[in-house]
Amino acid sequence: MAQLLADGQLASAAGTILGADKFERTVAVMLANTAEQSQQVTLLLTREGSTARRLVRGNLLKDESCQIIGLPLDPSDVLSAYADSASAVDYTVSRSIGGFAVTFRDANGAPKTSQAIEVTLPESNDLSADGIVISGLLEEVRDVLLKIA
């Protein structure tokens, strides 16, 4: 079982969901819309005290979720996130293993493929060694991301 590092509900303004640590770590982030209306969610990554950079942004309808796994973090890295409405999206952050993957899922748990989802690969920690799996993206976006890797 994965070790839970943080959990809670997203605010409507960017707030820290996982602060800096003493050690490098690989994490999984789960975002789940518990509201009746759709929520745009944004996950930000701040590397070594620099400017926060958007890592993932997408729209979650009622009961939909987004899972980011295998995200490598350096000791000084900080994750923050926000949604359209405060307390509408639950989050968990836990330790993770394996390659980097982002999956948006519908209310039935099936991967979403019919919407544009923005994903930015982290600047450090070589992800190409583990391979990159991106699910739930339009084919054009997937092709561009795989060329970058």
Side-chain angles (χ1 to χ4, degrees), residues 127-139:
L127 298 174
S128 61
D130 293 324
I132 296 175
V133 179
I134 305 292
S135 301
L137 298 176
L138 295 172
E139 288 297 323

Side-chain angles (χ1 to χ4, degrees), residues 119 121 132 142-149:
V119 178
L121 299 177
I132 296 175
R142 184 180 316 179
D143 291 344
V144 169
L145 288 172
L146 292 176
K147 286 178 187 174
I148 292 171

Side-chain angles (χ1 to χ4, degrees), residues 54-89:
R54 185 172 60 221
L55 185 65
V56 175
R57 180 172 65 182
N59 193 48
L60 297 177
L61 300 177
K62 178 184 174 191
D63 296 327
E64 290 185 338
S65 63
C66 173
Q67 183 178 31
I68 302 98
I69 61 170
L71 178 60
L73 297 177
D74 291 328
S76 60
D77 292 347
V78 174
L79 284 177
S80 54
Y82 62 94
D84 287 337
S85 302
S87 304
V89 177

Side-chain angles (χ1 to χ4, degrees), residues 10-55:
L10 298 184
S12 58
T16 299
I17 63 171
L18 185 66
D21 196 353
K22 297 180 216 168
F23 308 101
E24 289 185 3
R25 60 227 191 262
T26 302
V27 300
V29 180
M30 173 68 80
L31 305 172
N33 183 5
T34 59
E36 293 295 318
Q37 67 277 7
S38 67
Q39 294 291 316
Q40 181 169 303
V41 294
T42 303
L43 180 66
L44 305 163
L45 174 62
T46 304
R47 291 246 187 235
E48 299 181 6
S50 67
T51 302
R53 304 289 182 203
R54 185 172 60 221
L55 185 65

Side-chain angles (χ1 to χ4, degrees), residues 101-113:
V102 177
T103 306
F104 278 73
R105 298 191 179 276
D106 65 20
N108 297 317
K112 290 178 67 171
T113 57

